[in-house]
Amino acid sequence: MDTVDGSHHYERASDEPPPSLLTIILDTNPHAWAHISNILPLSKAIANLLVFINAHLAINYANKVAIIASHTQCAEFLYPSSTNATNAPQGVASNGTDNDTEMTDADEISLESSSKSKLTLNGPKHPFSTTTNGHEAPSLPRSNTNPAHPADDANKYRPFRLIEEALLHALTNLLQSTPASALAQNPTTSVAGALTLALCYINKLTIQASSSSASHSGPSVNPANPSDMDLQNARAPALQSRILILSVSGDLANQYIPIMNCIFASQRLSIPIDIAKIAGDTVFLQQASDATKGTYIKLEDPRGLLQYLMMGFLPDQTSREFLISPTQVGVDFRAACFCHRRVVDIGFVCSICLSIFCSPPEDATCLTCGTHLSLGDYGGKPAVIPRKKKRRKNRIDEEGRASGPATPGPA
């Protein structure tokens, strides 16, 4: 047809914004939530988070969301849920083809899951249970009556209802399956594992979106043609992804190496990491937000969580180009040593593997790569050099006389 009408046909770029994938990492550390239970209970935080998720999905019909729990001993998907992973035999892939686990959305969950006990957003005033170490762990109450199936509730938009049911059901199973002994042994949260799951899931959906967009595309792009290359550069990305971390824990120095690896991977893939610091203070999350050009907000009043989420973290990368995002005044760039996992101001760095140590290792040997380090004259007393006395120069006044020290008179 091109030879008949003599015109060139090009693929028309779409004016619609690309879909956005929001991956939320929720810190479910019971120890941390128990400390702020009188200010922001876990039930209210989940209710505010669901409103924020609904707003994200309402912006674009193609937007997606994923929720990952950063728990004390593991990192687990809350939405979408891996229903087939528990039924598959050990050593066999869940999808029957490879080692990838099939992730099902909320509309594919069976009817039996909705009749099980789950967390409710409007429970008693103090929904907490006491652990063995005396602290209170978040344990939201169960529903007294079996709720109706999400599809039968006509007072709420069905996708919103499906995500709410799936999130509450998965969070209930996670909290109920956590023994008190695990809370006493490991009081920290698995942020590094949650970041790894988030990056893997983002990479999987990005590949799927790229392949689907390439299959629906028109003629192939010729790299030798400048007009075709301009058209390719003008195309919007198939999927925009970002990560939002709701953190309530403090020190994460024991996870310094895997967290930094995730930060570098996100920086390479241009995936911003947004931090909503509800409680505690972590220097590595500040570095993650700064390195990936994300937004870091430390909540002054955790009771206003919904306002912080809607005003600071709702816009995606496309919208942030036209807005002034909240910025952090100072970023703590301190690192953690590889020997004791402590945050240090001044340390010793291996010139081969860039490992950081708070003090020189024994026998001057790197604990990571085994390289012999040359410390030079470290530990010795510095050489003291006497200060040279400066000769005083005579100045000549206006009458031509030299002004010097006065001539001593007779005694």
Side-chain angles (χ1 to χ4, degrees):
M1 293 297 296
D2 292 344
T3 57
V4 174
D5 56 10
S7 61
H8 298 280
H9 300 275
Y10 299 98
E11 181 185 0
R12 186 175 181 180
S14 177
D15 298 335
E16 298 181 358
S20 176
L21 170 61
L22 175 61
T23 306
I24 301 175
I25 297 178
L26 176 62
D27 189 355
T28 57
N29 188 357
H31 294 277
W33 283 107
H35 289 302
I36 61 173
S37 59
N38 55 346
I39 302 176
L40 181 65
L42 180 59
S43 58
K44 293 184 179 180
I46 295 298
N48 295 337
L49 181 61
L50 286 173
V51 176
F52 171 71
I53 292 174
N54 295 343
H56 167 74
L57 297 177
I59 293 178
N60 190 348
Y61 69 95
N63 284 356
K64 300 179 181 295
V65 66
I67 308 172
I68 302 175
S70 175
H71 208 51
T72 53
Q73 75 278 10
C74 64
E76 183 178 338
F77 269 98
L78 299 179
Y79 180 84
S81 60
S82 55
T83 55
N84 298 332
T86 57
N87 300 328
Q90 186 176 3
V92 181
S94 300
N95 56 3
T97 55
D98 51 12
N99 294 327
D100 195 7
T101 302
E102 288 291 344
M103 308 299 291
T104 57
D105 293 333
D107 53 353
E108 300 176 8
I109 298 178
S110 61
L111 300 177
E112 298 178 357
S113 62
S114 61
S115 62
K116 297 181 180 179
S117 60
K118 69 178 189 312
L119 305 182
T120 56
L121 301 180
N122 299 322
K125 185 177 181 181
H126 300 284
F128 295 97
S129 60
T130 306
T131 58
T132 55
N133 56 357
H135 294 284
E136 291 182 343
S139 177
L140 296 178
R142 304 178 185 178
S143 300
N144 296 329
T145 58
N146 292 336
H149 189 258
D152 300 334
D153 190 0
N155 296 326
K156 184 178 291 187
Y157 185 46
R158 187 172 183 272
F160 298 166
R161 183 68 178 179
L162 292 174
I163 294 179
E164 177 183 341
E165 292 288 336
L167 173 60
L168 297 180
H169 176 71
L171 190 56
T172 304
N173 296 337
L174 178 62
L175 294 179
Q176 291 179 353
S177 62
T178 303
S181 59
L183 299 179
Q185 295 175 0
N186 190 7
T188 59
T189 181
S190 304
V191 176
L195 280 173
T196 305
L197 286 179
L199 291 175
C200 294
Y201 185 74
I202 289 174
N203 183 52
K204 177 181 178 180
L205 292 191
T206 302
I207 294 176
Q208 293 179 357
S210 301
S211 60
S212 61
S213 61
S215 61
H216 292 84
S217 61
S220 58
V221 177
N222 184 12
N225 191 351
S227 60
D228 289 358
M229 295 305 298
D230 295 339
L231 179 62
Q232 183 183 16
N233 296 332
R235 293 175 181 172
L239 183 66
Q240 287 188 345
S241 306
R242 55 193 173 105
I243 300 175
L244 172 61
I245 302 178
L246 273 69
S247 175
V248 293
S249 302
D251 187 21
L252 298 173
N254 56 344
Q255 307 178 35
Y256 172 72
I257 298 178
I259 287 179
M260 294 305 297
N261 291 336
C262 294
I263 292 174
F264 295 147
S266 302
Q267 186 180 18
R268 180 68 180 272
L269 298 175
S270 301
I271 300 175
I273 300 178
D274 300 332
I275 309 296
K277 195 60 181 173
I278 302 176
D281 191 11
T282 306
V283 297
F284 307 131
L285 295 183
Q286 298 180 16
Q287 299 176 15
S289 176
D290 180 76
T292 59
K293 299 181 180 180
T295 301
Y296 183 93
I297 299 179
K298 185 175 182 180
L299 278 62
E300 298 180 359
D301 188 2
R303 292 173 295 184
L305 174 62
L306 180 58
Q307 183 176 359
Y308 285 102
L309 293 176
M310 299 294 287
M311 299 299 176
F313 301 105
L314 185 59
D316 56 359
Q317 294 93 311
T318 304
S319 303
R320 293 180 185 181
E321 297 178 358
F322 308 96
L323 301 174
I324 300 178
S325 302
T327 57
Q328 191 178 5
V329 178
V331 181
D332 194 349
F333 290 102
R334 291 183 299 171
C337 64
F338 285 31
C339 48
H340 302 94
R341 299 295 189 266
R342 294 181 300 187
V343 180
V344 295
D345 297 328
I346 300 177
F348 300 85
V349 182
C350 175
S351 59
I352 303 300
C353 63
L354 302 180
S355 299
I356 303 173
F357 304 99
C358 57
S359 60
E362 298 180 1
D363 300 333
T365 303
C366 178
L367 302 179
T368 304
C369 62
T371 305
H372 181 73
L373 307 177
S374 178
L375 300 178
D377 296 334
Y378 173 76
K381 295 183 179 180
V384 179
I385 302 176
R387 184 178 180 181
K388 296 182 180 181
K389 295 182 180 180
K390 296 182 179 180
R391 296 181 58 183
R392 186 176 180 181
K393 298 181 180 179
N394 296 333
R395 297 180 180 178
I396 301 177
D397 55 6
E398 296 178 356
E399 299 179 358
R401 293 177 300 179
S403 60
T407 304

